[in-house]
């Protein structure tokens, strides 16, 4: 089971993780949460559900490449869309959907952090993380977002870009990020297989 998700009774999934893997996953999820930012109610913890329901999101695309990958423009890159009407539609789409998208991504990353925080690693034994079917779906979303974030930082756009990552020399400063990207891909793939079984 080490490094691979496997099915558990009831439709969930389980994976064995060592202390370093837990630390890496938690750190990446926390960094993602920081990048996504607090909800519309702010960071003070006193969110007003009605205010959040009617809060409008941004109409301009984010400037950070990771956020651009996580929250893409509805009609492609706004600079490449010649039609002003499509740009206006895209801005409206973003204004009414981005807050919900951010909330979903935030909730998935928080679910990952919370479940990792329940694990204890002792001695030579890996901790076994058991997820319900709902938690597994949240993990799948979080793993996907983490991979998208790392892909943006590594300039991975197409499959050919991923192939180049395998040939990076160990001295390349991007190597740890590449290893995390590939490892997350393996976790994501086995979780998908488990959920489809």
């Amino acid at each position: 089971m080490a490094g691979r998700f496997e099915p558990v009774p009831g439709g969930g999934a389980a994976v064995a993780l060592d202390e370093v893997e837990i630390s890496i996953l938690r750190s990446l999820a926390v960094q993602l949460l920081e990048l996504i930012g607090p909800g519309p109610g702010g960071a003070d913890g006193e969110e007003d559900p009605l205010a959040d329901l009617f809060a409008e999101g941004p109409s301009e695309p984010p400037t950070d490449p990771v956020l651009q990958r996580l929250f893409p423009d509805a009609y492609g890159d706004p600079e490449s869309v010649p039609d002003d009407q499509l740009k206006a539609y895209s801005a409206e789409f973003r204004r009414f959907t981005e807050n919900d998208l951010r909330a979903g991504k935030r909730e998935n990353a928080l679910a990952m952090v919370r479940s990792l925080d329940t694990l204890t690693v002792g001695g030579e034994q890996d901790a076994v993380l058991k997820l319900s079917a709902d938690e597994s779906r949240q993990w799948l979303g979080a793993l996907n977002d983490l991979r998208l974030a790392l892909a943006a930082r590594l300039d991975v756009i197409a499959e050919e870009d991923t192939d180049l990552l395998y040939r990076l020399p160990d001295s390349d400063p991007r190597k740890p990020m590449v290893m995390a990207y590939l490892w997350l891909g393996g976790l994501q793939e086995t979780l998908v297989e488990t959920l489809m079984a």
Side-chain angles (χ1 to χ4, degrees):
M1 180 188 305
R4 293 185 51 83
F5 276 97
E6 294 183 5
V8 296
V15 65
L17 299 169
D18 65 28
E19 195 170 355
V20 172
E21 292 168 329
I22 294 167
S23 176
I24 290 170
L25 283 169
R26 189 180 192 292
S27 175
L28 289 172
V30 167
Q31 289 176 54
L32 183 64
L33 284 165
E34 290 171 353
L35 191 59
I36 292 171
D44 58 9
E46 293 189 30
E47 294 187 26
D48 177 0
L50 290 177
D52 291 352
L53 182 64
F54 297 107
E56 291 183 3
S59 59
E60 293 295 319
T63 57
D64 185 293
V66 171
L67 293 176
Q68 288 173 2
R69 186 77 60 98
L70 292 174
F71 307 106
D73 214 56
Y75 297 100
D77 177 15
E79 300 305 316
S80 67
V81 177
D83 186 342
D84 286 340
Q85 190 64 42
L86 280 182
K87 288 181 183 180
Y89 290 154
S90 189
E92 286 297 293
F93 182 82
R94 180 175 297 283
R95 191 164 61 99
F96 291 112
T97 61
E98 188 169 312
N99 283 345
D100 288 341
L101 291 172
R102 282 181 185 263
K105 291 178 184 306
R106 190 179 304 109
E107 203 46 50
N108 290 341
L110 279 170
M112 178 180 275
V113 170
R114 288 179 186 131
S115 58
L116 290 169
D117 285 349
T118 66
L119 298 177
T120 54
V121 179
E124 300 294 316
Q125 294 290 332
D126 291 344
V128 176
L129 175 68
K130 292 183 181 176
L131 302 171
S132 69
D134 287 339
E135 291 168 330
S136 296
R137 284 186 284 280
Q138 286 184 300
W139 263 70
L140 191 56
L143 286 170
N144 186 62
D145 290 341
L146 291 174
R147 287 198 76 229
L148 285 172
L150 290 174
R153 293 289 188 238
L154 292 167
D155 293 323
V156 173
I157 306 293
E159 189 64 34
E160 305 84 57
D161 300 329
T162 303
D163 294 341
L164 294 174
L165 297 179
Y166 287 104
R167 292 187 230 124
L168 280 179
D170 289 342
S171 60
D172 192 300
R174 297 172 295 167
K175 191 70 172 194
M177 195 182 314
V178 168
M179 298 305 293
Y181 174 77
L182 297 173
W183 174 60
L184 291 172
L187 283 176
Q188 184 179 20
E189 183 178 343
T190 61
L191 184 53
V192 168
E193 291 168 357
T194 297
L195 294 176
M196 293 179 68

